[in-house]
Amino acid sequence: MKLYNEANPAPNPRRVRIFLSEKSISIPLVHVPMREGAHKSAEFKAKNSLGQVPVLELDDGSTLSESIAICRYLEELHPAPALFGSDPWQRATIEMWTRRIELALANRIGAVWINTHKYTARLGTQYQEYGEAMRVRALEVMRWLDGEIAGREFICADRYSVADIVALTTIDFGQFIGIEMPGDLAHLRAWHTGVSARPSATAFALHKLLILAGCRR
């Protein structure tokens, strides 16, 4: 297998890299330089017609896109540690929290990115007023999340899960585009400090990407 991937701050490929690190799975990474438009090339769109990373390619040439789908597939191959939960209740609550973070927070941060950031201005019309409204809503969601996780080390259950991965990569991307966590969110900040200290959070930050034509880690 190989993973078509882009470096930070791209949040979705980072989700999979953190997942791989937590699982101690080694998969070659193929760099897809998005700033050069490589993800929109005909060759890459043959792997994912939406022109998005990450994409997991199997040995038989089959491809799978969407970060959570890729992580679910890898969990089936490597069940431990169970980052999607180890019993019906854990799996359901982790799914609930993952969806909440994606729909309530990641979508709003994405709207800010698309509609207000200078890097996306060339992609089409930006609706600045809508983007700024979503910035306010994203901060409101962070305040809600701060209250929800009070007294907990992780987003849900009693263990680190894919919900923490999604939340970390979402919040870090928000910071990259100028959406900072309010200083008074003590619970969210404590959670963020804790999960950011895990080796997986920076596992791929200090060395080059694994490019098939180049060196292996």
Side-chain angles (χ1 to χ4, degrees):
M1 292 190 291
K2 51 193 172 185
L3 183 73
Y4 291 85
N5 165 76
E6 176 58 295
N8 293 347
N12 293 327
R14 187 183 176 212
R15 290 181 183 179
V16 182
R17 295 198 305 273
I18 292 174
F19 193 88
L20 290 170
S21 179
E22 290 284 340
K23 293 276 192 179
S24 297
I25 301 171
S26 179
I27 296 178
L29 305 185
V30 182
H31 187 205
V32 181
M34 296 177 68
R35 289 191 180 184
E36 299 173 17
H39 59 309
K40 300 300 183 183
S41 68
E43 179 182 7
F44 184 78
K45 291 181 76 174
K47 302 180 186 300
N48 180 4
S49 59
L50 291 175
Q52 298 171 341
V53 290
V55 170
L56 181 69
E57 184 172 84
L58 307 189
D59 292 346
D60 65 0
S62 301
T63 57
L64 186 65
S65 58
E66 305 302 332
S67 60
I68 296 300
I70 291 170
C71 291
R72 282 191 179 277
Y73 178 73
L74 295 171
E75 176 114 332
E76 291 291 328
L77 298 180
H78 305 272
L83 297 180
F84 282 91
S86 58
D87 61 44
W89 180 253
Q90 283 187 0
R91 286 191 287 271
T93 55
I94 289 169
E95 177 76 14
M96 176 185 75
W97 278 102
T98 300
R99 292 290 289 164
R100 282 176 158 184
I101 293 162
E102 287 187 314
L103 295 174
L105 186 58
N107 282 357
R108 289 178 169 90
I109 288 176
V112 176
W113 164 247
I114 291 169
N115 289 286
T116 69
H117 204 276
K118 63 182 181 180
Y119 289 170
T120 56
R122 60 183 177 82
L123 301 180
T125 303
Q126 289 185 314
Y127 299 92
Q128 293 280 339
E129 185 175 346
Y130 173 71
E132 292 304 329
M134 290 301 99
R135 186 188 305 274
V136 173
R137 294 300 300 275
L139 293 173
E140 291 173 353
V141 174
M142 288 185 193
R143 290 192 176 280
W144 164 79
L145 184 56
D146 179 72
E148 289 288 317
I149 65 173
R152 295 208 298 261
E153 183 179 359
F154 302 115
I155 293 293
C156 61
D158 59 351
R159 65 177 65 189
Y160 184 86
S161 74
V162 71
D164 295 285
I165 296 174
V166 173
L168 175 65
T169 54
T170 296
I171 288 172
D172 283 354
F173 184 72
Q175 292 179 326
F176 170 74
I177 64 172
I179 305 174
E180 295 289 340
M181 281 186 290
D184 60 338
L185 302 188
H187 307 302
L188 191 62
R189 285 185 169 274
W191 162 84
H192 185 266
T193 297
V195 295
S196 296
R198 296 176 74 88
S200 62
T202 56
F204 292 81
L206 300 179
H207 57 75
K208 294 182 180 180
L209 297 173
L210 300 178
I211 302 174
L212 290 184
C215 296
R216 294 295 180 89
R217 176 163 59 111

